[in-house]
Amino acid sequence: MRDELINIKNIAVSFILDAQDKKTLEEVRMQFLGRSGKLTIAMKNIIKVPIEDRRDIGQLANEIKRIVEEAINQKIQTLTKFITEERRSKIDLSIPGILPEIGHLHPMTQILYDVVDVFKTIGFQAADGPEIESDYYNFEVLNIPKNHPARDTQQTFYLNTRDTNLNPGEIILRTQTSAMQGRVMEKTKPPLRVIVPGKNFRYEQVDASHGFEFWQVEGFCVDKHIRLTDLFGTISFVLGKLMGDKTKIKFATTNFPFVEPGVDTYIECTVCKGKGCSFCKNSGWSEIMPAGMIHPNVLRKVGYDPQEVSGFAFAIGMSRLVTLRYKMDDLRLLTNPDLRILEQF
Ligand code: DAH
C-alpha cells in the first residue's frame, strides 16, 4: 500500500508538471483527486490495511494528498502568469487607439442656442417656466376666458385633479409659451425684454408638420412708446441674423386674443425659393412667427396701465425654423432615434 501511494504521487506530480494549460491541469486533478480518482480510491482502501499499519498509512496518504494539491495550485499560478506575460508581449503600443464616438448638440438645440444669442445682443433676457401650467396663465390672463372660441384651436391636455383641492380643468400641460407673459409681467415692472424658450403640448394628430409636443420661443417687450414698427424692426433683425440677410419676409394681419393688432410673419420658403412646393403648400411662403401688440386687457390683468406702457409679443415656431434652415420636409425626422439622421447635422 505504501508503494502504491508513493507511485500515485510520483505519477500525479509528473502529470501536473507536464500540463501546458488549465484545462489539462483540471483533467489531472479529476484523475487523481476526483470522486473516482486514483488517490481518492486508494485512500478509501486504507480500511483494508491491517490495523497496526493503518495509522501510518493514513498519515502518508494525507501527506501525499496535500503534496498533490499544492503542486496543482502552484502550477495554476505559473500558467496564469505565463498567459498574462504572453498577452502583454502581444500588445503593439504603436497602433493608433480607437477614439470613442463623441456626440454633438441636436439640430434643435443648436438653433435654440443661436436664437437665444441673437436676442441677447438686443437686450432680451431668457426666462424659464413650468410645462405644467394653470388655466389662468395659459388662457385667462391672455384674454382667453372660459368658453372663448380661441380655446378650440389649442387642443389642451388636462391633468387629473381628482385627489387634489383644485377644480377640474384647472391644471394643464401648457399649450403655448405665451403663458409666461403673465408670470413674468406680474412680477416685473416695465421696461422689460424677455424671451421664453420652451416646450408646449397639444392633443394633435401627428403628421409631417405637426407634433403633439413642440418647441417655441415666446418673446415680449414692454416699455413706454413701444409701437408696431418696433415689432417689425425686431423680427426683421432677428430673422435676418438667423436665416441670412437676404431672406425675404412679409407680414400679414391675423387674430390672437392677446394681441391687437395681430400679425403673422412669413419667410420665403427655403425649400422651393418661393416657387411653391408641398412644404409651403404651394404658396412660396412659410409662416414662422405669429406676433402682435399686447392687448390692453392683458396689460391691465398683470397690473400695468395701458395708457402708460405698451408692448409687443411674438412666438417663433422652433421646429419650423429648423426644417426651413435644413430644408427638411418632415418634422418627425427631428425626433427619430436613427443616428444616421442626426449625424448629418
Ligand atoms: N401663443 C400662440 C400660439 O402658440 C402664438 C402667438 C401669437 C404668440 C401671437 C404671441 C403672439 O406672442 O403675439 O398659438
Side-chain angles (χ1 to χ4, degrees):
M1 185 77 191
R2 183 181 298 272
D3 292 346
E4 190 193 335
L5 283 171
I6 290 174
N7 205 17
I8 289 175
K9 181 201 79 179
N10 290 343
I11 298 171
V13 170
S14 75
F15 278 9
I16 291 167
L17 292 178
D18 275 355
Q20 292 303 315
D21 52 53
K22 288 187 182 173
K23 190 168 162 262
T24 322
L25 196 60
E26 189 51 34
E27 279 164 14
V28 178
R29 183 207 294 278
M30 292 309 288
Q31 198 180 334
F32 291 91
L33 300 174
R35 208 185 285 171
S36 41
K38 287 196 175 99
L39 187 58
T40 317
I41 288 177
M43 286 175 93
K44 276 187 190 150
N45 288 337
I46 291 176
I47 196 102
K48 295 179 192 156
V49 171
I51 189 99
E52 59 275 18
D53 294 336
R54 213 179 280 165
R55 203 164 147 230
D56 285 353
I57 296 286
Q59 273 179 359
L60 177 69
N62 281 337
E63 176 66 10
I64 285 176
K65 192 176 174 206
R66 196 189 56 76
I67 291 172
V68 172
E69 280 172 347
E70 204 175 293
I72 290 175
N73 288 341
Q74 267 181 17
K75 186 72 185 189
I76 288 178
Q77 278 178 20
T78 326
L79 284 177
T80 316
K81 207 168 132 210
F82 176 70
I83 289 169
T84 19
E85 264 166 19
E86 196 188 37
R87 233 181 246 156
R88 205 173 291 147
S89 67
K90 276 191 186 153
I91 294 175
D92 180 353
L93 294 176
S94 64
I95 296 175
I98 301 167
L99 281 179
E101 283 198 44
I102 298 174
H104 62 74
L105 294 178
H106 189 281
M108 181 77 96
T109 315
Q110 291 177 28
I111 298 198
L112 192 62
Y113 284 7
D114 289 352
V115 172
V116 175
D117 282 349
V118 172
F119 277 106
K120 271 192 188 157
T121 64
I122 49 174
F124 279 77
Q125 281 182 312
D128 198 10
E131 288 171 359
I132 295 176
E133 187 52 281
S134 65
D135 181 279
Y136 179 76
Y137 287 113
N138 198 83
F139 293 125
E140 293 275 338
V141 82
L142 290 168
N143 202 27
I144 314 176
K146 303 234 167 14
N147 304 323
H148 192 289
R151 289 198 178 210
D152 289 350
T153 64
Q154 309 220 350
Q155 311 287 3
T156 309
F157 285 111
Y158 290 94
L159 298 193
N160 194 343
T161 50
R162 212 175 296 137
D163 297 322
T164 70
N165 49 8
L166 299 163
N167 292 326
E170 222 170 290
I171 298 292
I172 61 171
L173 292 184
R174 75 173 168 205
T175 61
Q176 47 185 350
T177 27
S178 308
M180 278 294 282
Q181 285 191 22
R183 286 187 178 273
V184 172
M185 290 197 254
E186 261 178 13
K187 293 211 179 82
T188 328
K189 282 211 166 73
L192 53 89
R193 269 176 262 177
V194 179
I195 50 167
V196 186
K199 234 193 276 181
N200 301 298
F201 308 86
R202 289 189 199 172
Y203 185 58
E204 299 245 21
Q205 181 74 39
V206 174
D207 63 25
S209 49
H210 295 89
F212 60 87
E213 178 185 297
F214 57 96
W215 277 83
Q216 283 181 335
V217 176
E218 173 80 15
F220 44 94
C221 162
V222 185
D223 200 349
K224 287 185 175 143
H225 314 301
I226 296 289
R227 295 162 302 184
L228 191 60
T229 43
D230 295 314
L231 170 63
F232 290 157
T234 307
I235 291 185
S236 307
F237 171 79
V238 170
L239 287 180
K241 286 276 176 231
L242 292 173
M243 308 300 283
D245 282 341
K246 299 214 173 73
T247 314
K248 280 196 197 139
I249 300 175
K250 74 172 183 182
F251 296 101
T253 52
T254 189
N255 180 278
F256 289 94
F258 41 92
V259 282
E260 182 57 38
V263 293
D264 255 339
T265 315
Y266 294 83
I267 67 167
E268 195 178 67
C269 177
T270 52
V271 178
C272 62
K273 289 263 173 299
K275 288 195 194 76
C277 66
S278 59
F279 187 72
C280 59
K281 298 199 184 100
N282 282 321
S283 67
W285 295 91
S286 270
E287 199 232 294
I288 193 169
M289 240 169 128
M293 297 304 290
I294 300 176
H295 198 288
N297 286 353
V298 177
L299 296 174
R300 266 190 289 269
K301 269 231 155 69
V302 298
Y304 293 172
D305 179 355
Q307 303 295 333
E308 278 279 307
V309 292
S310 52
F312 64 77
F314 55 84
I316 304 179
M318 279 305 296
S319 42
R320 188 53 71 82
L321 206 58
V322 178
T323 48
L324 280 172
R325 191 193 270 190
Y326 295 119
K327 302 184 178 56
M328 271 184 197
D329 57 4
D330 194 330
L331 275 184
R332 289 167 291 193
L333 292 172
L334 289 172
T335 42
N336 190 313
D338 189 337
L339 282 183
R340 284 173 303 176
I341 298 169
L342 291 181
E343 276 161 1
Q344 296 174 47
F345 298 95

